[in-house]
């Protein structure tokens, strides 16, 4: 195994490569897997007693921790598997003859599953494929655009969709709601959705990162409503920083024979042992340890949110200012406090290009922050309305990365340093374009996906140059520009998809004289061109 892992790597690189540091609690979880394999060779009676005990303990603890009364639990490796089995259960319980008649009963009255348009990509398709249902059984419910959060399911529209489906002879069976959408971490109006589901005898399944906060002493009422749903999926691995533990789907259902048919319970002892890594880990951490982890993550995001509130040019997209386990923010050029007062009457319209450049700058910001403060675990997320944003979701990362308060403070400090760079570059981009277009011998190249001042190509005095020559001059020019004593970064641009033979200029700081820079580029280019012409004449 060692050879397979490292292959033909040299001795030196072996030293620098280390596995993720697995602490004592990580060993606990990993030990569960090997123990389960050993336990499976016990005689049947002993095995049955032991597995039943482990299963009932773990299930009881999880139901108590996450306030889900009288629940059963299904443990699964792939976090979508639980929802899939729940769908099977619902189909079995809504179609009496399904066990014998199969797809014939579905054909006469098509089942419909409703999923939010803010759900994770590909979830609906994966469910249909696994259940053998046509994609027409999946209904995407749009999110609110008029009022409320842009990431919450539109309840009134959902009601309308359900009624339309019933009128056309279909059977609405299940709704998948979010307590923490995969993108921005917003929670659907679970209370109202539950009423709607009861009205049409539908099953309500909830998933999402905010469910972790159910373990805390104080839970926001929007998330607390999840405890009344029919099933929920919990991903304890990332929340508590446990390697290789299964996800859990808690559900309430009266008929054990149907749960067995649907695959939510198993008669196989080995299947039941899937809970063992959790059984060990939960005891190792203890109730207080678990709550402490989740509380720590919530405090980290709260701290970041507090710091971002009064930050110019930063726009946050959180639902609840008081407790939001996920913080999503972006650099927004039209958001300084002075501008706010001036522009309150006329709201600036954003053109397509401006939006594109804004996304480009936010992608750069996200990459910078994650490189400078890797322990923060920030990443980039692409949202439908807001475009590219930076996301901080400590529940999913902080236990694994060991994020501390000082990491959040460092993140805020880095952000404060980057904002002037962003605003300044953005303001000077237009000036740079104008200057280049005015200058003989230079060509301006528009590239909206380049995070920086802009892109320029030296084409020289006479137009009919061959590409080889242009390439040679621009490469030489790039060398010369990088030898100048300046804070600017000149490069050949992105590895893929960039323009050829161009000079890409990176981010700038405030004291840059654009006309002087453009003049320098043109003069240096001319000098190189004349020198090469001189050489040619001499030859």
């Amino acid at each position: 195994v060692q050879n397979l892992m490292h292959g033909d790597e040299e001795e030196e690189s072996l030293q620098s490569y280390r596995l993720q540091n697995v602490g004592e609690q990580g060993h606990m979880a990993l030990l569960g897997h090997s123990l389960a394999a050993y336990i499976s060779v016990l005689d049947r009676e002993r095995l049955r007693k032991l597995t039943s005990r482990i299963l009932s303990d773990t299930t009881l603890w999880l139901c108590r921790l996450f306030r889900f009364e009288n629940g059963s639990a299904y443990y699964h490796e792939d976090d979508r598997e639980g929802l899939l089995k729940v769908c099977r259960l619902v189909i079995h319980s809504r179609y009496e003859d399904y066990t014998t008649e199969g797809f014939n009963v579905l054909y006469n009255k098509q089942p419909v599953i409703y999923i939010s348009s803010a759900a994770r990509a590909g979830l609906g398709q994966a469910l249909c494929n696994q259940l053998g249902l046509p994609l027409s059984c999946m209904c995407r419910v749009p999110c609110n655009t008029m009022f409320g959060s842009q990431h919450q399911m539109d309840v009134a529209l959902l009601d309308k969709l359900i009624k339309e489906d019933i009128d056309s002879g279909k059977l609405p069976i299940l709704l998948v709601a979010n307590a923490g959408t995969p993108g921005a971490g917003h929670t659907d109006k679970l209370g109202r959705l539950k009423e709607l589901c009861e009205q049409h005898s539908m099953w309500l399944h909830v998933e999402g990162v905010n469910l972790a906060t159910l373990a805390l002493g104080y839970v926001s009422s929007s998330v607390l409503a999840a405890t009344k749903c029919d099933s929920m999926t919990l991903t304890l691995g990332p929340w508590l920083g446990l390697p290789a533990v299964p996800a859990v789907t808690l559900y309430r259902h009266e008929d054990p024979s149907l749960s067995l048919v649907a695959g939510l319970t198993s008669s196989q002892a080995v299947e039941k042992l899937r809970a063992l890594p959790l059984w060990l880990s939960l005891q190792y951490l203890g109730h207080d340890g678990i709550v402490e982890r989740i509380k720590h993550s919530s405090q980290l995001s709260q701290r970041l949110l507090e710091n971002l509130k009064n930050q110019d040019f930063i726009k946050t997209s959180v639902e609840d200012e008081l407790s939001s386990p996920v913080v999503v923010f972006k650099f927004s050029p039209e958001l300084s406090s002075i501008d706010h007062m001036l522009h309150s009457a006329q709201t600036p319209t954003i053109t397509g290009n401006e939006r594109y450049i804004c996304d480009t700058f936010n992608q750069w910001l996200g990459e910078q922050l994650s490189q400078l403060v890797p322990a923060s675990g920030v990443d980039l997320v692409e949202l439908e309305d807001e475009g590219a944003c930076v996301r901080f979701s400590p529940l999913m990362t902080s236990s694994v990365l060991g994020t501390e308060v000082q990491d959040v403070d460092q993140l805020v400090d880095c952000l404060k340093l980057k904002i002037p760079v962003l605003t300044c570059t953005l303001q000077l981009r237009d000036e740079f374009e104008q200057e280049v277009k005015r200058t003989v011998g230079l060509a301006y190249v528009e590239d909206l996906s380049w995070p920086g001042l802009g892109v320029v190509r030296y084409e020289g005095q006479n137009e009919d140059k061959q590409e080889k020559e242009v390439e040679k001059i621009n490469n030489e020019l790039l060398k010369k520009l990088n030898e100048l004593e300046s804070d600017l970064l000149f490069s050949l641009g992105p590895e893929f998809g960039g323009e050829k033979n161009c000079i890409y200029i990176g981010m700038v700081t405030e004291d840059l004289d654009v006309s002087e820079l453009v003049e320098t580029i043109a003069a240096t280019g001319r000098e190189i061109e004349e020198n090469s012409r001189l050489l040619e004449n001499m030859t």
Side-chain angles (χ1 to χ4, degrees):
V1 171
Q2 179 93 2
N3 288 344
L4 283 173
M5 272 161 60
H6 301 298
D8 321 319
E9 289 171 28
E10 301 301 311
E11 280 299 308
E12 293 86 63
S13 68
L14 271 182
Q15 290 309 310
S16 62
Y17 172 80
R18 280 275 175 271
L19 282 170
Q20 172 199 342
N21 181 29
V22 180
E24 193 171 77
Q25 66 159 33
H27 279 298
M28 227 16 145
L30 298 174
L31 190 64
H33 288 271
S34 50
L35 264 180
Y38 279 113
I39 290 173
S40 67
V41 298
L42 292 173
D43 61 88
R44 270 175 64 182
E45 193 44 39
R46 267 197 186 152
L47 184 60
R48 194 184 57 74
K49 274 186 179 159
L50 188 60
T51 50
S52 302
R53 171 70 194 271
I54 287 168
L55 202 58
S56 62
D57 277 357
T58 317
T59 304
L60 180 69
W61 295 335
L62 289 171
C63 286
R64 278 190 189 158
L65 251 175
F66 295 98
R67 308 174 185 233
F68 196 83
E69 286 167 18
N70 312 323
S72 311
Y74 171 60
Y75 301 88
H76 45 99
E77 303 303 324
D78 177 351
D79 54 5
R80 293 181 298 199
E81 187 73 23
L83 174 55
L84 177 68
K85 294 280 164 59
V86 163
C87 288
R88 290 218 171 107
L89 172 70
V90 178
I91 291 174
H92 274 285
S93 59
R94 293 299 298 274
Y95 293 91
E96 284 177 10
D97 303 333
Y98 182 68
T99 347
T100 50
E101 296 296 313
F103 64 81
N104 288 327
V105 287
L106 304 182
Y107 183 71
N108 300 328
K109 207 178 174 74
Q110 191 176 327
V112 190
I113 296 168
Y114 301 86
I115 287 187
S116 160
S117 59
R120 52 183 152 165
L123 179 63
Q125 196 165 359
L127 284 178
C128 282
N129 293 346
Q130 292 288 326
L131 294 164
L133 294 175
L135 286 178
S136 56
C137 289
M138 194 55 57
C139 176
R140 271 170 70 87
V141 184
C143 290
N144 292 348
T145 42
M146 298 301 288
F147 50 88
S149 150
Q150 293 164 335
H151 306 277
Q152 274 183 340
M153 217 184 293
D154 189 329
V155 184
L157 189 57
L158 172 66
D159 191 20
K160 188 166 154 253
L161 288 168
I162 293 173
K163 285 177 178 146
E164 281 170 10
D165 283 336
I166 293 172
D167 291 344
S168 62
K170 296 178 175 179
L171 182 66
I173 58 170
L174 181 136
L175 168 66
V176 184
N178 289 299
T181 52
H186 290 203
T187 301
D188 286 323
K189 300 184 176 74
L190 298 174
R192 288 183 57 196
L193 292 177
K194 179 63 186 154
E195 287 166 20
L196 198 60
C197 286
E198 278 174 350
Q199 196 180 320
H200 299 289
S201 354
M202 287 164 62
W203 183 284
L204 176 60
H205 176 84
V206 181
E207 52 182 48
V209 65
N210 296 353
L211 291 173
T213 58
L214 286 171
L216 301 177
Y218 166 75
V219 188
S220 69
S221 57
S222 57
V223 178
L224 194 57
T227 55
K228 298 284 175 276
C229 67
D230 302 290
S231 58
M232 56 162 83
T233 297
L234 312 169
T235 50
L236 296 160
W239 296 351
L240 304 175
L242 303 169
V245 300
V248 189
T249 295
L250 300 178
Y251 64 97
R252 294 190 192 95
H253 197 256
E254 270 52 80
D255 187 344
S257 64
L258 283 187
S259 304
L260 190 61
V261 175
L264 282 162
T265 50
S266 165
S267 49
Q268 299 292 321
V270 182
E271 287 276 310
K272 293 181 182 170
L273 283 169
R274 269 200 197 148
L276 189 58
L278 271 175
W279 186 79
L280 291 169
S281 303
L282 291 175
Q283 291 183 81
Y284 175 81
L285 286 170
H287 180 273
D288 294 349
I290 294 165
V291 173
E292 195 42 57
R293 287 280 154 99
I294 294 171
K295 195 171 173 182
H296 176 64
S297 298
S298 301
Q299 285 166 344
L300 291 176
S301 53
Q302 218 33 52
R303 187 175 184 102
L304 179 64
L305 195 55
E306 290 301 318
N307 278 309
L308 293 180
K309 266 183 201 164
N310 40 23
Q311 189 65 51
D312 273 359
F313 302 113
I314 288 293
K315 178 181 175 206
T316 55
S317 163
V318 293
E319 189 175 39
D320 176 2
E321 292 289 323
L322 299 169
S323 72
S324 175
V326 182
V327 180
V328 171
F329 62 92
K330 61 180 281 196
F331 164 72
S332 183
E334 65 275 6
L335 268 190
S336 81
S337 43
I338 307 160
D339 287 1
H340 267 322
M341 279 128 73
L342 298 174
H343 288 301
S344 52
Q346 70 227 47
T347 50
T349 53
I350 288 196
T351 62
N353 278 4
E354 281 176 2
R355 155 101 195 233
Y356 204 99
I357 290 173
C358 203
D359 281 355
T360 298
F361 276 45
N362 274 299
Q363 279 160 357
W364 178 83
L365 177 65
E367 282 159 14
Q368 288 289 311
L369 293 176
S370 64
Q371 282 166 18
L372 292 167
V373 198
S376 68
V378 290
D379 63 351
L380 269 167
V381 59
E382 196 69 52
L383 298 178
E384 208 170 327
D385 293 310
E386 291 92 336
C389 298
V390 185
R391 172 177 54 185
F392 178 59
S393 180
L395 274 166
M396 294 307 276
T397 58
S398 71
S399 292
V400 178
L401 296 174
T403 316
E404 291 297 336
V405 173
Q406 56 266 28
D407 297 316
V408 174
D409 293 347
Q410 194 190 343
L411 187 69
V412 175
D413 292 342
C414 285
L415 183 64
K416 283 179 180 162
L417 290 176
K418 296 293 170 197
I419 289 172
V421 177
L422 286 162
T423 46
C424 188
T425 307
L426 202 55
Q427 280 159 1
L428 293 176
R429 257 179 102 111
D430 290 341
E431 192 188 330
F432 176 74
E433 181 177 346
Q434 303 313 323
E435 284 290 339
V436 171
K437 285 179 174 168
R438 272 203 292 269
T439 309
V440 182
L442 294 183
Y444 179 78
V445 181
E446 181 168 64
D447 185 346
L448 298 177
S449 60
W450 174 250
L453 185 61
V455 187
V456 63
R457 178 191 288 128
Y458 181 79
E459 289 184 341
Q461 282 92 344
N462 55 341
E463 294 301 311
D464 55 339
K465 278 202 184 54
Q466 291 170 344
E467 195 175 329
K468 266 276 193 290
E469 210 178 328
V470 175
E471 180 177 8
K472 197 171 154 196
I473 292 178
N474 279 288
N475 283 344
E476 189 61 34
L477 176 56
L478 182 65
K479 250 197 209 134
K480 285 265 189 284
L481 290 173
N482 274 322
E483 285 164 10
L484 298 175
E485 303 257 313
S486 78
D487 300 337
L488 288 174
L489 203 64
F490 301 95
S491 70
L492 286 171
E495 210 173 328
F496 306 105
E499 289 279 336
K500 275 205 178 91
N501 309 334
C502 290
I503 290 170
Y504 281 75
I505 305 171
M507 293 285 180
V508 298
T509 43
E510 40 229 306
D511 50 359
L512 177 79
D513 183 335
V514 174
S515 54
E516 193 184 310
L517 169 71
V518 174
E519 185 40 50
T520 309
I521 294 174
T524 316
R526 276 198 297 278
E527 192 185 312
I528 292 166
E529 189 181 7
E530 277 154 20
N531 286 348
S532 70
R533 203 172 290 141
L534 192 67
L535 277 174
E536 267 168 43
N537 293 346
M538 284 166 76
T539 1

